[in-house]
Amino acid sequence: MSRTIVEALKSPIDDAFGLLAEFIKVCPDDVWAEQGGGWPVWQEMYHALVAVNLFAEVEGEKPAPLAGEDVCALDAVAAETVSRDRVQAAWVAAKDLVDRYLARLTDDDLAKRNETTFRAINMDMSHAAVLSLLAGHTLYHLGAGDSALRRRGLKGVF
């Protein structure tokens, strides 16, 4: 069984998650709680992690959210800041889920429909599209966090 394409696509996903972990670690508390571009920085990072449950869910597993569904989906601004430790724990759970999802994929699976929550919201996505989203969506929201750091004259993580 060849896994060369899946393995090649895993690298940018790992890079994106590594950058997100670094951001969670280095982001100052005042920036963490800052609302810029519509959402608190922590909420952007948490949203990127919660979205993994749509992309790579494992049947029967539903992690307990740290905030309401509207906050997770970026439909509402959170009333309270969620701590970095709690978001870091969500990162660990999301990364574990992604790793398990990737471990069971083969190159032959890439063109097949991903039967996750996307189906319930009428989105037809292949596993290849999901792999692209796992990196791209994470980096998109990480960019918002990096922007908040740079507005304060701090070094971003990428």
Side-chain angles (χ1 to χ4, degrees):
M1 155 169 64
S2 172
R3 292 178 43 94
T4 57
I5 297 170
V6 172
E7 288 172 358
L9 293 173
K10 184 180 184 307
S11 179
I13 294 167
D14 286 343
D15 290 345
F17 273 81
L19 289 168
L20 184 53
E22 181 65 16
F23 181 87
I24 293 167
K25 184 171 93 177
V26 303
C27 183
D29 290 339
D30 58 334
V31 176
W32 185 253
E34 177 182 295
Q35 184 173 335
W39 311 107
V41 169
W42 77 264
Q43 191 174 341
E44 290 255 10
M45 301 311 110
Y46 183 62
H47 166 81
L49 296 168
V50 170
V52 168
N53 297 314
L54 289 176
F55 305 154
E57 75 181 6
V58 174
E59 192 168 329
E61 288 187 28
K62 286 289 181 201
L66 300 178
E69 190 173 317
D70 57 342
V71 170
C72 295
L74 296 181
D75 289 332
V77 174
E80 297 179 18
T81 300
V82 170
S83 74
R84 180 184 331 281
D85 290 342
R86 292 182 69 201
V87 175
Q88 175 60 33
W91 180 93
V92 170
K95 183 66 166 89
D96 176 64
L97 180 61
V98 167
D99 288 346
R100 288 185 290 129
Y101 170 71
L102 291 170
R104 68 176 188 256
L105 278 183
T106 67
D107 289 355
D108 292 337
D109 294 328
L110 294 175
K112 295 177 184 172
R113 181 181 173 144
N114 182 9
E115 300 289 341
T116 67
T117 305
F118 276 127
R119 187 170 139 201
I121 57 176
N122 296 318
M123 291 186 76
D124 186 9
M125 301 195 83
S126 68
H127 288 285
V130 168
L131 294 185
S132 176
L133 273 173
L134 284 169
H137 184 259
T138 302
L139 290 172
Y140 173 85
H141 291 288
L142 181 59
D146 242 24
S147 176
L149 291 176
R150 293 175 195 278
R151 278 194 309 270
R152 297 284 189 94
L154 302 169
K155 184 177 186 255
V157 296
F158 71 107

